[in-house]
């Protein structure tokens, strides 16, 4: 968006070589304003990076949670299937003993 270049250009323009000849503090005020604008922009960029990192961490946590949920579901299904197989085996064994 070119904002950093404009701010830097403004800082450079505010630091006139030899000054304007006026000693009313305008040059210093403009230089300070430009530096404050640059600092505000830096803080905004840091906040955007922090938010981006938080989003990435949340996505990673969601992926981990999803993996563990899928793993738990698979274990529960395996246990249920083992119980069902055990019940079928016992029933078949009882049927075989009754026939003998």
């Amino acid at each position: 968006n070119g904002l950093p270049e404009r701010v830097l250009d403004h800082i450079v323009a505010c630091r006139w070589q030899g000054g304007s000849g006026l000693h009313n503090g305008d040059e210093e005020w403009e230089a300070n304003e430009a530096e404050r604008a640059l600092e505000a922009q830096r803080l905004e960029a840091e906040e955007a990076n922090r938010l981006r990192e938080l989003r990435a961490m949340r996505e990673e946590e969601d992926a981990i949670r999803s993996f563990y949920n899928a793993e738990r579901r698979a274990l529960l299904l395996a246990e249920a299937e083992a119980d069902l197989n055990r019940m079928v085996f016992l029933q078949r064994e009882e049927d075989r003993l009754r026939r003998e």
Side-chain angles (χ1 to χ4, degrees):
N1 63 16
L3 185 60
E5 290 181 14
R6 278 191 280 141
V7 171
L8 291 174
D9 290 343
H10 187 64
I11 290 173
V12 170
C14 289
R15 296 177 191 255
W16 295 310
Q17 297 295 326
S20 65
L22 301 174
H23 299 289
N24 59 7
D26 284 351
E27 294 164 353
E28 184 178 342
W29 179 85
E30 288 180 8
N32 288 340
E33 274 300 301
E35 288 173 5
R36 274 193 290 278
L38 192 57
E39 178 66 12
Q41 182 183 20
R42 184 187 65 77
L43 291 174
E44 186 177 317
E46 283 180 4
E47 180 66 11
N49 285 336
R50 187 182 72 80
L51 291 174
R52 192 170 23 263
E53 288 173 3
L54 285 174
R55 267 188 234 104
M57 287 170 45
R58 187 178 322 122
E59 288 173 1
E60 184 178 349
E61 288 172 356
D62 289 346
I64 290 170
R65 191 176 304 112
S66 176
F67 169 79
Y68 282 119
N69 285 338
E71 181 183 41
R72 186 170 48 243
R73 199 174 318 119
L75 287 173
L76 289 173
L77 285 173
E79 286 177 15
E81 185 177 3
D83 288 345
L84 183 61
N85 288 337
R86 193 170 24 260
M87 289 171 35
V88 167
F89 175 77
L90 290 175
Q91 185 63 45
R92 286 182 181 167
E93 190 64 23
E94 287 177 11
D95 289 347
R96 187 185 62 79
L97 289 174
R98 259 189 255 130
R99 279 187 301 233
E100 289 178 356

